[in-house]
Amino acid sequence: MKIGICCNVFGPSGGMERYTLDLTKGLLENGHDVEIFTKKIKPMAGLDLDVPVHRCNLSLFPGKVHDYLFSLWLKKAKEKHHITTLIGCCRNFAADLAICGGTHVGFLKAIHRQPRLSDKLAIHVERRYYREAKAIVAHSKLMAKELQEFYAVDPQKIKVLYPPSSLVRFSPCSEEERIRLRGQLGLPKDRKVFLFVSSSHERKGFPLLQKFFETTNLPVTLAVAGRPIPKGLKNIRYLGYHHDIENLYRACDFSILASLYEPFGLAAVESLLCGTPVVIADNVASGEIIPDSSKFTFKCNDLKSLSFAIAKAVESNNIALPDIPALSETLGISSHIRAVENLIS
């Protein structure tokens, strides 16, 4: 069996890009013949993936039609390269197995925006994506619900598989190492530090966090990793881009997720695996597998609720973290790959 994987970007980037890399590596390690079909390729420094990569150059076309044209190209490429099964890690209507890490209808409803022409085109392709795929992997129960509610997908066609995390890379460190990392990053010793990881600040809820941290009198600091933010913000420090994100989790007191729309929210799980508790909005889907004792929850986009959750976190002591071995079967890469193999066999 020759397996194809299609994606918007092949290389380290956002959550779905990381998932694509994990999926590719896992299938290769299990002896499968894998080829990649993508719109864009990023440098793969430090990643040992010996796999053929085929790029569809859409630079001459407007972004609105990229998904549609990519789908047409995929259908031809699938036949040309004798692909037995195509796994879709992006919106298209050529995939045999569709990975659902978010729906466009769900996103628009979450941000209270009426569909524009570009949205309507995206939804058109997405409906075909879920209708024509033989099976669908939903990255959370929330996504399974959206697939049924917004796209009328037969629940028998959906398999909920949470995106995997590396239980080796994301692991706790000693208190001595945590103090060293904290000093290396220049984080304050006398304040509770909340880590915010984001490449899309509006969707991830940065405006709400900025409003709170710039006006609070609590001894807290928001450390932002990822896309740049304005300079000179009170109680907010920018850490830049980091490939060793696990060390940021280890150095901080809490991670915080305030997304307006979050199909899963891998940062919350990774933080907990590193021994750092989380403050998350009640719409973050990874909350489905995080025990109440390991999280402080607030209402999405609600400043008063956020303020209460942070105050409670600051006052807390000896927060119970989830049992890591118990999470291994749910979050382990090898078990995830086995489940995907069962769907495409």
Side-chain angles (χ1 to χ4, degrees):
M1 176 189 292
K2 183 183 282 190
I3 301 172
I5 301 176
C6 59
C7 55
N8 286 325
V9 180
F10 189 62
S13 187
M16 186 55 80
E17 286 74 25
R18 285 179 53 193
Y19 174 76
T20 302
L21 294 175
D22 286 340
L23 185 63
T24 302
K25 185 177 180 181
L27 289 171
L28 287 172
E29 289 176 348
N30 281 11
H32 294 284
D33 189 1
V34 180
E35 298 195 17
I36 303 298
F37 301 85
T38 187
K39 300 174 188 174
K40 186 177 179 180
I41 304 169
K42 279 197 168 186
M44 301 281 283
L47 294 172
D48 185 21
L49 291 176
D50 184 15
V51 58
V53 181
H54 311 284
R55 178 174 177 252
C56 177
N57 186 356
L58 297 168
S59 59
L60 298 179
F61 302 93
K64 294 183 181 67
V65 298
H66 280 189
D67 290 341
Y68 187 83
L69 294 178
F70 187 51
S71 298
L72 296 179
W73 177 83
L74 282 171
K75 284 184 174 290
K76 293 180 180 179
K78 191 175 168 183
E79 183 177 344
K80 177 182 177 181
H81 296 280
H82 308 290
I83 299 300
T84 309
T85 299
L86 181 65
I87 302 175
C89 292
C90 65
R91 189 185 299 126
N92 72 91
F93 49 78
D96 302 291
L97 176 65
I99 308 296
C100 177
T103 72
H104 202 65
V105 175
F107 166 70
L108 293 176
K109 286 185 176 294
I111 64 171
H112 305 290
R113 192 179 89 196
Q114 290 298 314
R116 303 165 184 164
L117 176 59
S118 58
D119 296 316
K120 291 177 180 178
L121 290 171
I123 293 168
H124 170 73
V125 174
E126 201 165 70
R127 289 193 188 283
R128 288 190 63 179
Y129 181 36
Y130 299 131
R131 183 176 68 246
E132 297 182 17
K134 297 180 179 69
I136 302 171
V137 167
H139 273 174
S140 64
K141 293 177 182 176
L142 174 63
M143 290 303 97
K145 181 182 177 183
E146 288 190 4
L147 286 167
Q148 294 170 66
E149 183 178 345
F150 302 146
Y151 298 83
V153 175
D154 182 349
Q156 297 300 316
K157 194 175 178 178
I158 304 169
K159 173 72 172 178
V160 175
L161 292 176
Y162 295 108
S165 294
S166 171
L167 303 176
V168 175
R169 179 184 177 189
F170 298 101
S171 57
C173 68
S174 66
E175 180 62 16
E176 292 77 10
E177 177 65 4
R178 190 188 77 83
I179 293 171
R180 187 191 72 79
L181 290 170
R182 200 176 178 100
Q184 182 178 295
L185 292 165
L187 298 174
K189 298 178 181 179
D190 58 345
R191 302 170 74 83
K192 295 291 185 181
V193 179
F194 292 75
L195 178 64
F196 176 67
V197 181
S198 169
S199 58
S200 178
H201 291 339
E202 286 293 325
R203 180 176 72 84
K204 294 288 186 178
F206 179 70
L208 179 71
L209 297 179
Q210 180 182 342
K211 189 179 295 184
F212 170 79
F213 280 90
E214 284 210 291
T215 57
T216 185
N217 291 319
L218 289 172
V220 294
T221 293
L222 181 69
V224 179
R227 184 167 292 181
I229 58 173
K231 295 180 180 180
L233 300 179
K234 184 182 177 183
N235 297 325
I236 300 176
R237 182 169 300 185
Y238 179 57
L239 301 179
Y241 288 96
H242 280 260
H243 292 298
D244 60 339
I245 194 68
E246 62 275 17
N247 285 330
L248 272 64
Y249 292 129
R250 292 166 181 150
C252 295
D253 298 290
F254 299 91
S255 289
I256 189 162
L257 285 79
S259 307
L260 299 177
Y261 182 67
E262 193 60 78
F264 184 68
L266 203 55
V269 170
E270 292 172 347
S271 179
L272 288 170
L273 291 175
C274 289
T276 301
V278 296
V279 178
I280 62 173
D282 58 3
N283 62 321
V284 175
S286 54
E288 295 172 10
I289 58 172
I290 298 174
D292 290 341
S293 59
S294 302
K295 64 187 178 186
F296 299 89
T297 308
F298 64 94
K299 293 180 181 178
C300 175
N301 207 27
D302 186 310
L303 182 60
K304 184 177 179 180
S305 181
L306 171 68
S307 302
F308 180 79
I310 291 178
K312 192 174 179 182
V314 170
E315 295 169 0
S316 63
N317 291 302
N318 300 320
I319 302 162
L321 293 171
D323 182 25
I324 302 304
L327 285 176
S328 62
E329 189 61 27
T330 303
L331 300 172
I333 292 175
S334 60
S335 60
H336 186 92
I337 297 300
R338 286 197 302 271
V340 170
E341 287 175 326
N342 288 337
L343 289 172
I344 62 177
S345 60

